[in-house]
Amino acid sequence: MSPKTKKDSTLIIRLPKADRDEFVALCEDMDTSASRELRDHIRKFLKKNSKKGS
């Protein structure tokens, strides 16, 4: 997916507020966003775990 691809879906997850707050703060410290980091993780996970030939 290119960076210009329209983002048209939402994923809602539940996690402890402290984890969320720490993650968001760390992302801000690293000049990135939580959404960007989660999208990157999902793409890497899909690439690593996709079945070949499907």
Side-chain angles (χ1 to χ4, degrees):
M1 185 168 95
S2 74
K4 298 293 181 185
T5 302
K6 182 178 177 183
K7 297 161 192 80
D8 60 357
S9 186
T10 302
L11 176 66
I12 298 172
I13 62 169
R14 295 190 183 278
L15 68 157
K17 184 177 183 327
D19 289 350
R20 182 245 181 229
D21 292 347
E22 185 177 358
F23 180 68
V24 170
L26 183 57
C27 288
E28 289 174 357
D29 289 347
M30 297 175 71
D31 196 30
T32 188
S33 70
S35 293
R36 180 181 297 134
E37 295 306 315
L38 291 171
R39 284 191 298 268
D40 183 57
H41 176 74
I42 290 169
R43 287 184 196 113
K44 287 176 183 175
F45 182 87
L46 290 171
K47 185 175 181 179
K48 177 182 174 185
N49 295 290
S50 291
K51 294 180 183 175
K52 295 183 189 221
S54 58

